[in-house]
Amino acid sequence: MPSPTTIWRATILTLFPEMFPGPLGVSLAGRALSSGLWALEARDIRDSATDRHRSVDDTPAGGGPGMVLRADVLAAAIDAADTASEVARHRPRLLMSPRGRPLTQSQVAELAAGPGPLIVCGRFEGIDERVIGARGLEEVSIGDYVLSGGELAAMVLIDACVRLLPGVMGKQESGTDESFSEGLLEYPQYTRPQTFEGQPIPEILLSGDHARVAAWRRAESEALTRARRPDLWAARPNQAPSPKSRQNRPKNTTDG
């Protein structure tokens, strides 16, 4: 078991600390949390408010609907979390945001190999832009859609990281032989019964020939990636976009 100073630790800054651990407290992540393979700390941003109402937000400068998290309160919450952590200076500070850089498996692996992140969960119309730069927050998105707050997005990121930590998964291959590990979608999986509603398991998977099985799985991964994610396929070294993606590409444009 890792020592308390080396354990992977996720610190969450949120207005709703009661949402945690939530799904992270069950199944694979939950067992690992109970076993001490990683740690989770949810801190209430309101604890850094300075007035008796514990105010954390105010109206947007320039007008508009909704409310914005104040820079001074959030900065104080980040500073307090860093003061309480022994690895604060070495951990990434993330802000879950739909305008952030899309989360990828390679970034997940990088985060899992570090000490664990401090994650800010926004609410309302967002947070004051000044605190993003002042506290070095990296904006991260889990998709092109908007949630009520950053808490669910933070759980997605943490779950993706925790499953890669040493000792969490039963077989280490489970973390390397899956979708996105090599820029490809995962091949189809089958198990008993051998025939389901007239559909048999592909014969090659029952052949016992490991080389042929590996080649079949690789070919299936490549075919699925070309068909479903031409963007991933085109991003692989020495791969051209699929015919469909080339056909749909706007004319007279340049790559930035």
Side-chain angles (χ1 to χ4, degrees):
M1 181 180 297
S3 68
T5 56
T6 61
I7 191 172
W8 193 88
R9 182 181 302 273
T11 299
I12 311 297
L13 296 183
T14 172
L15 296 177
F16 300 97
E18 63 273 16
M19 291 181 67
F20 294 87
L24 298 172
V26 298
S27 189
L28 195 70
R31 290 194 297 270
L33 183 61
S34 299
S35 300
L37 296 178
W38 69 287
L40 175 66
E41 177 189 24
R43 300 175 66 93
D44 193 341
I45 296 172
R46 292 188 188 278
D47 290 343
S48 295
T50 57
D51 66 336
R52 63 188 181 90
H53 300 293
R54 288 165 45 101
S55 302
V56 297
D57 58 351
D58 210 328
T59 56
M67 303 291 280
V68 177
L69 278 173
R70 291 173 47 145
D72 55 347
V73 175
L74 185 52
I78 294 171
D79 294 343
D82 278 352
T83 301
S85 171
E86 296 181 9
V87 295
R89 296 176 180 270
H90 310 289
R91 64 178 173 177
R93 296 173 175 176
L94 309 179
L95 169 64
M96 307 312 299
S97 167
R99 73 179 194 180
R101 180 164 64 112
L103 182 66
T104 63
Q105 189 64 23
S106 60
Q107 185 184 14
V108 166
E110 182 180 340
L111 289 170
L118 180 148
I119 305 176
V120 175
C121 300
R123 280 275 163 174
F124 315 127
E125 291 302 310
I127 73 174
D128 190 304
E129 186 74 18
R130 292 171 294 181
V131 77
I132 297 176
R135 293 299 181 271
L137 300 180
E138 178 186 355
E139 296 182 72
V140 179
S141 170
I142 63 165
D144 294 337
Y145 45 86
V146 180
L147 300 172
S148 299
E151 289 79 11
L152 293 178
M155 291 178 190
V156 168
L157 184 149
I158 292 170
D159 181 81
C161 291
V162 166
R163 62 193 303 275
L164 298 185
L165 299 179
V168 172
M169 286 191 287
K171 292 184 178 181
Q172 195 60 35
E173 307 89 74
S174 299
T176 57
D177 193 15
E178 58 189 5
S179 287
F180 310 117
S181 59
E182 295 184 14
L184 295 171
L185 301 182
E186 189 176 12
Y187 49 79
Q189 298 280 11
Y190 298 87
T191 188
R192 295 184 179 87
Q194 187 167 335
T195 301
F196 168 71
E197 295 186 351
Q199 300 183 64
I201 295 175
E203 259 186 59
I204 194 169
L205 298 180
L206 307 175
S207 67
D209 188 327
H210 297 300
R212 289 182 62 211
V213 168
W216 179 89
R217 286 175 168 170
R218 180 72 179 195
E220 289 292 313
S221 287
E222 292 181 352
L224 281 170
T225 305
R226 285 195 301 268
R228 299 182 183 180
R229 292 293 303 273
D231 57 320
L232 287 179
W233 183 254
R236 288 173 56 77
N238 303 319
Q239 297 294 348
S242 66
K244 183 176 180 181
S245 66
R246 287 198 298 266
Q247 180 180 353
N248 294 337
R249 186 172 181 176
K251 296 181 179 179
N252 301 323
T253 61
T254 57
D255 292 314

